Amino acid sequence: MSTQGPITDAGGEIAALVYTARDRPDLVLCDCAKHLVESGRRVCGLIQLRDRPPGDARRKLMDLDSWRIVDVARGDDAAGNVRCSVDGDWLYRMARRAEASIRVGVDAVIVNRFGPLELAGRGFRNAIVAASETETPLLIAVPEFEFEHWTRFSNGMTTRLDCALDPVLEWWHRVASPGATKPKRDPRACELFK
């Protein structure tokens, strides 16, 4: 079995927003998406906000293609352990839609998380590969404990960013193409997360 990951030449267009338990990557991703849309860029992908009041088991996700917010319920497994009940078919459709948007042409892609699904060839794996193949800038949140897996997955061909908006915007200005499309989404949607 080959250990080579699917990314062969990212040219710096793909950046890993590496975070720890004390960071708030969802807010950084949301602020980045808002900045890009306000500057006339078309963005696709998915953001999940894990920040919520204590005792609130809901998960909010935003589809950046439609700027639609979805509440994802949580449930208990047979042993009574709380587990996320994200519908696998829904997540697959979101990933396929992001991949299609990338292939048609967007200015940037934001992916909520890199983790076990992508390592197993599912989740947003194909969207990440499509961004690499089309040289579309992609920002993905990577937990620090998964960074070694990410490095193997990406063949080390990506930029590592601290979990803050300033490094993300500095990276964006380095890799962004000069042309911008007209805003298609309401950038105030991210305010619903705050």
Side-chain angles (χ1 to χ4, degrees):
M1 183 169 142
S2 172
T3 59
Q4 183 174 353
I7 297 174
T8 57
D9 182 13
E13 293 96 0
I14 297 178
L17 181 72
V18 181
Y19 68 92
T20 65
R22 66 184 173 276
D23 292 319
R24 298 177 74 188
D26 302 312
L27 295 179
V28 174
L29 294 175
C30 194
D31 286 345
C32 176
K34 180 181 175 188
H35 173 82
L36 295 179
V37 169
E38 286 176 344
S39 65
R41 301 302 180 137
R42 183 162 180 245
V43 181
C44 76
L46 186 69
I47 298 175
Q48 176 181 349
L49 271 197
R50 295 181 183 209
D51 292 334
R52 59 192 176 275
D56 184 354
R58 294 174 301 156
R59 299 278 178 137
K60 289 186 179 182
L61 296 132
M62 179 183 283
D63 169 15
L64 294 175
D65 277 322
S66 67
W67 286 85
R68 191 185 77 191
I69 296 174
V70 178
D71 284 330
V72 180
R74 293 173 56 95
D76 296 339
D77 63 15
N81 298 315
V82 175
R83 62 173 175 75
C84 183
S85 61
V86 174
D87 180 344
D89 291 335
W90 179 84
L91 187 61
Y92 175 76
R93 287 192 306 274
M94 302 293 6
R96 294 286 300 187
R97 185 160 58 181
E99 181 183 0
S101 293
I102 293 164
R103 300 243 182 242
V104 169
V106 293
D107 297 308
V109 184
I110 296 177
V111 178
N112 178 66
R113 297 283 186 276
F114 172 81
L117 286 176
E118 288 74 23
L119 284 172
R122 298 187 317 266
F124 276 75
R125 180 212 182 270
N126 291 342
I128 296 166
V129 172
S132 174
E133 292 171 350
T134 60
E135 298 181 358
T136 303
L138 179 137
L139 177 63
I140 184 167
V142 178
E144 189 174 55
F145 65 85
E146 291 282 14
F147 189 70
E148 184 178 334
H149 289 130
W150 169 255
T151 301
R152 277 191 236 124
F153 177 86
S154 67
N155 289 317
M157 304 291 281
T158 64
T159 301
R160 179 184 174 137
L161 300 175
D162 291 333
C163 190
L165 186 59
D166 287 342
V168 169
L169 294 180
E170 288 172 16
W171 163 80
W172 168 252
H173 292 298
R174 282 194 312 270
V175 300
S177 61
T181 58
K182 288 221 175 237
K184 294 186 76 172
R185 309 291 179 230
D186 183 354
R188 294 171 296 175
C190 283
E191 295 303 315
L192 296 172
F193 285 134
K194 294 183 179 180

